[in-house]
Amino acid sequence: MTIRTLTLPSGQAIPVLGMGTWQMGEQAHNRQSESDALRHGLDLGLSLIDTAEMYGEGGAEEVIAEAIVDRRSDVFLVSKVYPHNASKKGTIAACERSLKRLKTDYLDLYLLHWRSSTPLAETLEAFQTLQQAGKIRAYGVSNFDAKAMEAANHLKGGDAIATLQVLYNLTRRGIEWNLLPWCRQHGMPMMAYSPIEQGRLLNDSTLTAIAQARGVTSAQVAIAWLLHQDNVIVIPKASRIDHVEQNYAALTLKLSIEELATLDAAFPPPTKPVALEML
């Protein structure tokens, strides 16, 4: 199955469903199974892998390196820089460390993990330097609200921000008030992390009822709901082969108008501005 893609402002095509790696690389005895899961996802065509220097303090990047060792060209690779490393010099050094752990010479996308006390203009300057050197192909930000995105857009290099990664799932719909519309207006795909709320959504009665009626899992319903949203990329964690397969199967789960209405009733969209939420 060919996975649908969106186009970043940089012109790159990015798949709408990928594999997240938060909490990977933290336990040595899990590394082989985590790497195997990622490789299986690549076999299925899930070429987008999202990580960060924060995940396992570089451990997740090392797991990814094992998974992509002979297939880097098949992968759309995303990593993130810690805010405390976000100075110009610090960002460049952090990127070099990530590249070394990932055993690659470039990232497809490099993000600032969340807002920093360092002026964003300095981080953007570092991103542009890395881009010019061929170390990254595009750059973006994570955990920025609409006001921060508007301010960033007016900085030098800010108009080249390719994506925004934020917390977005059925229980965290506040971004629909103004942030998601802002991204759509600017032609900027949004990346949704924690699509099943770190597992807390799995036992919800509404999700469970829909899942049972369709013969699927609650996680697949939650992911399918996000895939239904325009301009959204979903990056569920994928540390086990069975979870990778379930996530992949969500691509073909088309929720009906009635099911979408039921989910809206159980998880209402915002009716006023909501402060940006993070996990």
Side-chain angles (χ1 to χ4, degrees):
M1 176 174 56
T2 301
I3 297 177
R4 180 169 57 91
T5 62
L6 296 175
T7 303
L8 298 176
S10 59
Q12 295 165 283
I14 183 170
V16 296
L17 181 66
M19 298 184 286
T21 60
W22 183 63
Q23 293 185 324
M24 286 193 192
E26 296 183 357
Q27 303 293 331
H29 64 274
N30 289 332
R31 287 198 174 196
Q32 187 60 54
S33 61
E34 291 168 347
S35 177
D36 289 345
L38 292 172
R39 287 185 70 86
H40 187 68
L42 292 177
D43 290 341
L44 293 173
L46 294 171
S47 59
L48 169 60
I49 301 179
D50 175 81
T51 192
E53 64 171 334
M54 185 186 83
Y55 301 167
E57 292 300 320
E61 292 177 327
E62 293 170 351
V63 169
I64 293 169
E66 296 174 16
I68 70 172
V69 62
D70 54 352
R71 54 202 308 182
R72 174 64 183 94
S73 61
D74 297 335
V75 181
F76 191 105
L77 191 53
V78 184
S79 194
K80 310 179 196 73
V81 58
Y82 261 130
H84 62 251
N85 288 333
S87 66
K88 181 179 180 180
K89 182 178 179 181
T91 298
I92 292 170
C95 184
E96 295 284 4
R97 291 192 297 270
S98 287
L99 292 173
K100 184 176 181 179
R101 286 189 292 264
L102 289 160
K103 296 182 180 178
T104 184
D105 55 5
Y106 73 97
L107 293 170
D108 294 280
L109 185 59
Y110 197 37
L111 310 179
L112 173 61
H113 209 150
W114 62 88
R115 294 181 71 184
S116 168
S117 58
T118 301
L120 181 59
E122 192 173 333
T123 311
L124 290 173
E125 186 179 357
F127 284 162
Q128 292 169 86
T129 298
L130 288 164
Q131 190 176 45
Q132 290 162 7
K135 301 295 178 68
I136 64 174
R137 293 189 170 175
Y139 55 84
V141 294
S142 180
N143 297 305
F144 275 41
D145 61 17
K147 183 178 180 181
M149 289 304 297
E150 185 64 30
N153 191 54
H154 288 88
L155 296 174
K156 182 180 179 182
D159 58 350
I161 290 174
T163 191
L164 167 65
Q165 187 176 124
V166 291
L167 175 63
Y168 184 34
N169 59 48
L170 279 162
T171 64
R172 311 276 192 165
R173 297 184 64 175
I175 65 163
E176 294 176 11
W177 182 259
N178 58 4
L179 187 54
L180 185 53
W182 189 95
C183 288
R184 288 170 175 161
Q185 180 184 350
H186 289 81
M188 183 186 298
M190 175 178 284
M191 302 180 75
Y193 72 79
S194 292
I196 58 173
E197 188 68 12
Q198 298 180 344
R200 289 184 288 273
L201 265 170
L202 299 184
N203 296 319
D204 176 81
S205 59
T206 303
L207 277 178
T208 300
I210 293 174
Q212 289 178 344
R214 296 292 294 270
V216 298
T217 67
S218 296
Q220 287 172 310
V221 175
I223 292 169
W225 179 83
L226 280 168
L227 290 170
H228 176 79
Q229 309 306 313
D230 181 47
N231 208 50
V232 173
I233 298 157
V234 191
I235 45 172
K237 181 183 174 183
S239 59
R240 286 172 27 190
I241 286 176
D242 60 330
H243 285 165
V244 171
E245 292 180 340
Q246 289 174 23
N247 294 344
Y248 177 73
L251 285 163
T252 57
L253 177 58
K254 305 302 181 186
L255 299 175
S256 68
I257 294 174
E258 292 76 19
E259 288 167 333
L260 292 168
T262 297
L263 290 170
D264 273 345
F267 306 97
T271 57
K272 61 182 179 180
V274 177
L276 184 70
E277 298 176 288
M278 293 174 55
L279 285 177

